Amino acid sequence: MHSAKKAAAILVLLILFIDQVHHCSAFIRRRRRRRCPVVNCSVTSWSHWSSCSASTCGQQGSQSRSRSITTHPSCGGTTCPSNLQESRLCYGSTLENCNLSSWSEWSACPAIPCGSSAMQTSTRHRIITEKCGGWCTSTFRKTRMCLRPPVNCKLSSWSEWSTCNGTVCTAGRGTQFSFRNKTMKEACGGTCTSTFLKTRNCTKSITRKAVECQLSLWSEWGDCKRTSCQLTGIQTSTRHKTVKEECPGTCKYSLHQSKLCTQSQLPCFNGGMYKPNITGCVCIQGYSGLCCENSPQGLY
Ligand SMILES: *[C@@H]1O[C@H](CO)[C@@H](O)[C@H](O)[C@H]1NC(C)=O
Ligand SMILES: *[C@@H]1O[C@H](CO)[C@@H](O)[C@H](O)[C@H]1NC(C)=O
Ligand SMILES: *[C@@H]1O[C@H](CO)[C@@H](O)[C@H](O)[C@H]1NC(C)=O
Ligand SMILES: *[C@@H]1O[C@H](CO)[C@@H](O)[C@H](O)[C@H]1NC(C)=O
Ligand SMILES: *[C@@H]1O[C@H](CO)[C@@H](O)[C@H](O)[C@H]1NC(C)=O
Ligand SMILES: *[C@@H]1O[C@H](CO)[C@@H](O)[C@H](O)[C@H]1NC(C)=O
């Protein structure tokens, strides 16, 4: 019986012990749960945006920024954000300076009196416009004084060579001509050539044919001309060549013709005057004869 009591006592102790242990662990557990700190996720602030992938001014590209987790959440803290990387469109913004043409030729000096001065200008312009705040000059025009320079004459170009002509009527050497003109006069001491005609030898391959002369019409008959004291005299008529005979050509025609003519009155020579009611002329002093044909020395 004694051992039974002992056993019962041990059992009671055991139960008490187990209860105590249980009690204690619950207590510990309760204490531990109360001490677990809530930790929210924490991330760094965003980095700076990276430089734009496009560097040319105005060209589209992209850039990104990122952040990273510094503390992971625990004990029910807020979770971490899912976007740790961001990107966006951007435009290249590298400065571009303008690019300029070279200076133009100086403008012609204005038409001013020889020896006086005037302004002439030269300009340049943008070939490429500056971008993104790039630099450009503000000087697009410059001027300088000019003196009106000597101006030489201007000449036309030489004319075509004339057809080969010459003095020969047989095949052989001939001459050709070419002309040019002064189209603008020289000024302010400018110079000019004096050569406006040039010639060159040429060879005529064609023998020119003989050319007959050609004649004008006969002229009107002239006055009835008398050389002695007679009622009859001679009248003449002429014609001339309109085309000369050449190579060698002939001209077997007369250029003069004449015929007799009769007048009703005698001629008066040596200043004598015809008087109707007398036969013959009234002579000035010293002359005699019907027609005053006798000179003071007795000869006509
Ligand atoms: C965790 O985040 C919540 C909700 O934003 C907030 O109420 C709490 O105060 C934060 N806890 C700590 C320790 O920052
Ligand atoms: C400007 O133009 C010249 C000639 O076209 C070229 O050589 C030069 O590289 C250009 N400069 C710039 C800045 O574009
Ligand atoms: C040759 O031609 C030129 C121009 O056509 C002319 O002036 C000149 O008289 C001619 N000479 C001869 C010999 O025919
Ligand atoms: C020269 O001027 C004259 C008259 O103005 C013209 O007929 C001729 O064609 C000109 N000659 C040339 C070679 O220009
Ligand atoms: C043309 O021929 C003549 C005679 O042979 C010569 O004297 C002259 O120099 C020649 N002229 C030219 C322009 O060749
Ligand atoms: C000349 O004679 C005519 C008649 O034959 C006559 O009428 C006339 O008066 C005369 N004249 C002179 C100047 O004599």
Side-chain angles (χ1 to χ4, degrees):
M1 264 335 272
H2 185 67
S3 62
K5 274 187 182 172
K6 244 179 165 177
I10 286 165
L11 188 69
V12 167
L13 281 173
L14 192 65
I15 288 165
L16 279 174
F17 177 75
I18 289 168
D19 181 58
Q20 201 55 45
V21 165
H22 180 255
H23 202 80
C24 186
S25 71
F27 173 76
I28 287 164
R29 213 181 300 133
R30 216 179 300 130
R31 273 202 61 184
R32 192 176 291 160
R33 188 178 297 140
R34 208 182 297 132
R35 274 180 28 227
C36 175
V38 173
V39 175
N40 290 339
C41 173
S42 99
V43 292
T44 60
S45 53
W46 286 107
S47 67
H48 288 295
W49 287 102
S50 67
S51 56
C52 193
S53 64
S55 60
T56 307
C57 178
Q59 189 184 320
Q60 190 174 292
S62 65
Q63 61 186 168
S64 62
R65 63 176 185 176
S66 62
R67 55 184 178 180
S68 54
I69 296 166
T70 50
T71 313
H72 287 274
S74 60
C75 295
T78 53
T79 55
C80 288
S82 58
N83 63 326
L84 297 173
Q85 191 94 23
E86 272 187 349
S87 64
R88 66 175 184 187
L89 286 179
C90 58
Y91 294 91
S93 63
T94 308
L95 301 189
E96 269 182 48
N97 296 336
C98 66
N99 207 350
L100 298 171
S101 69
S102 49
W103 287 103
S104 69
E105 292 285 302
W106 287 103
S107 63
C109 200
I112 46 173
C114 299
S116 62
S117 62
M119 300 294 264
Q120 58 185 167
T121 59
S122 171
T123 59
R124 59 180 176 180
H125 59 270
R126 286 180 175 87
I127 294 170
I128 297 171
T129 309
E130 65 276 16
K131 285 179 201 152
C132 297
W135 174 88
C136 201
T137 182
S138 59
T139 308
F140 295 102
R141 181 188 170 86
K142 60 183 180 179
T143 58
R144 71 175 185 189
M145 299 290 282
C146 60
L147 280 172
R148 191 170 171 206
V151 179
N152 296 337
C153 68
K154 288 212 173 73
L155 301 170
S156 68
S157 50
W158 288 102
S159 68
E160 295 285 304
W161 286 102
S162 63
T163 52
C164 192
N165 67 3
T167 52
V168 291
C169 292
T170 52
R173 184 176 297 122
T175 312
Q176 280 178 301
F177 304 90
S178 174
F179 304 91
R180 63 181 172 182
N181 288 336
K182 191 188 279 196
T183 54
M184 200 188 80
K185 207 174 171 308
E186 63 273 23
C188 296
T191 58
C192 198
T193 179
S194 56
T195 308
F196 299 106
L197 168 67
K198 60 181 180 180
T199 59
R200 72 176 182 191
N201 290 336
C202 52
T203 305
K204 282 154 47 97
S205 54
I206 300 165
T207 305
R208 283 173 61 191
K209 287 201 295 187
V211 175
E212 299 294 303
C213 69
Q214 286 177 32
L215 300 170
S216 68
L217 295 174
W218 287 109
S219 69
E220 295 284 304
W221 287 105
D223 293 337
C224 190
K225 288 215 169 85
R226 288 164 293 179
T227 53
S228 59
C229 193
Q230 290 178 334
L231 288 175
T232 57
I234 293 170
Q235 259 181 314
T236 60
S237 167
T238 60
R239 56 184 175 181
H240 60 269
K241 291 177 187 177
T242 52
V243 174
K244 199 174 172 302
E245 70 278 14
E246 279 184 309
C247 297
T250 54
C251 200
K252 53 191 179 229
Y253 307 106
S254 168
L255 299 178
H256 298 268
Q257 63 177 358
S258 55
K259 65 174 185 186
L260 289 175
C261 50
T262 306
Q263 298 287 83
S264 55
Q265 295 167 3
L266 288 168
C268 296
F269 301 109
N270 298 312
M273 292 281 285
Y274 184 77
K275 292 288 179 186
N277 285 0
I278 57 165
T279 305
C281 307
V282 176
C283 301
I284 60 172
Q285 201 171 5
Y287 290 92
S288 61
L290 210 52
C291 302
C292 311
E293 70 274 26
N294 299 321
S295 65
Q297 286 77 29
L299 297 166
Y300 167 63

